[in-house]
Amino acid sequence: MNVTIIGSGNMGRGIGTRAATGGHSVTFVDANPEVAEKAVVDVKNAARNGSKISASSLGDAQLGDVVVLAVWYGTNIEIAKQLGDRLAGKVVVDIANPLNSTYDGLATAPDSSSAEDLAKVVASGAKVVKAFNTTYAGTLLAGQVSGQPLDVFIAGDDADAKAKVAQIVTDGGLRAVDTGPLSRARQIEGMQLLHIVTQATLGTNWGSAIKILG
């Protein structure tokens, strides 16, 4: 698949590395062109099976089959509005954790989530999928923690859209966990809030992972 990653920071590069490792072509988009170009340099060595890694501006980008919004909550909403009908028919992946200003709670309403808020504003025909919000950037680069492949929790209302995201996940050496409809993003985002606020207690310095074993 062709994957467009909007936001070329640490998370964007981590997701791009997994996608490229799995043989998918990746285009990085960032408000700062130099950041997008640096992401290309960082990820190119991970590319397999002829996958192409490139950079583009938001205005010029030919959006891929899957568009990952690797940006903060709030910015994801604004970018979706800016892209408008260009997102029609695309799988749009929301990775945001909607933390409040004090980073000790969620900014979303109890009956919503970042992913559901995004779904309210994307173009008709776009399919929103929640994924990658529980995986830290460094762990994505490594693909594992303590020898265990990362779990990527996925939520969405469209089975085909979730299958495409799951393919990127599994091709990149990770495990996709389908949690159900998009409303499950509320629990996934809450789970990551707990993961974030316990970093000091755990002393893992953003190197931990949430994993279901059985």
Side-chain angles (χ1 to χ4, degrees):
M1 281 179 281
N2 292 314
V3 180
T4 302
I5 299 178
I6 299 176
S8 305
N10 292 336
M11 280 298 294
R13 290 197 297 274
I15 295 168
T17 297
R18 290 298 108 210
T21 299
H24 302 280
S25 293
V26 176
T27 300
F28 286 103
V29 176
D30 198 274
N32 185 336
E34 292 181 0
V35 173
E37 292 291 352
K38 184 180 186 304
V40 172
V41 173
D42 291 345
V43 172
K44 262 189 174 178
N45 287 339
R48 300 290 182 272
N49 300 327
S51 60
K52 297 179 180 179
I53 315 300
S54 61
S56 182
S57 67
L58 190 62
D60 294 335
Q62 297 294 316
L63 299 181
D65 312 288
V66 176
V67 179
V68 179
L69 299 182
V71 295
W72 295 96
Y73 175 64
T75 304
N76 57 349
I77 306 295
E78 293 306 314
I79 289 176
K81 290 178 179 178
Q82 184 178 349
L83 289 172
D85 288 341
R86 293 173 64 191
L87 289 176
K90 305 295 184 182
V91 176
V92 182
V93 179
D94 176 50
I95 77 162
N97 287 300
L99 302 179
N100 62 17
S101 59
T102 52
Y103 297 94
D104 62 355
L106 298 176
T108 46
D111 61 348
S112 192
S113 62
S114 172
E116 291 169 283
D117 288 353
L118 178 64
K120 294 171 185 174
V121 303
V122 292
S124 177
K127 308 298 182 183
V128 175
V129 175
K130 188 76 189 184
F132 293 109
N133 71 297
T134 63
T135 52
Y136 293 126
T139 65
L140 281 168
L141 290 174
Q144 55 82 32
V145 170
S146 298
Q148 293 279 353
L150 301 180
D151 281 355
V152 176
F153 300 94
I154 296 172
D157 293 332
D158 186 274
D160 289 340
K162 286 195 290 184
K164 286 182 179 178
V165 177
Q167 183 180 343
I168 293 170
V169 170
T170 55
D171 288 348
L174 314 180
R175 183 172 77 158
V177 180
D178 187 345
T179 66
L182 194 64
S183 60
R184 288 295 178 209
R186 302 171 197 177
Q187 287 79 47
I188 299 174
E189 292 170 9
M191 183 166 62
Q192 181 62 3
L193 169 64
L194 184 64
H195 192 198
I196 290 169
V197 300
T198 54
Q199 284 304 294
T201 303
L202 293 168
T204 47
N205 194 29
W206 313 107
S208 57
I210 299 174
K211 177 87 178 166
I212 295 178
L213 299 174

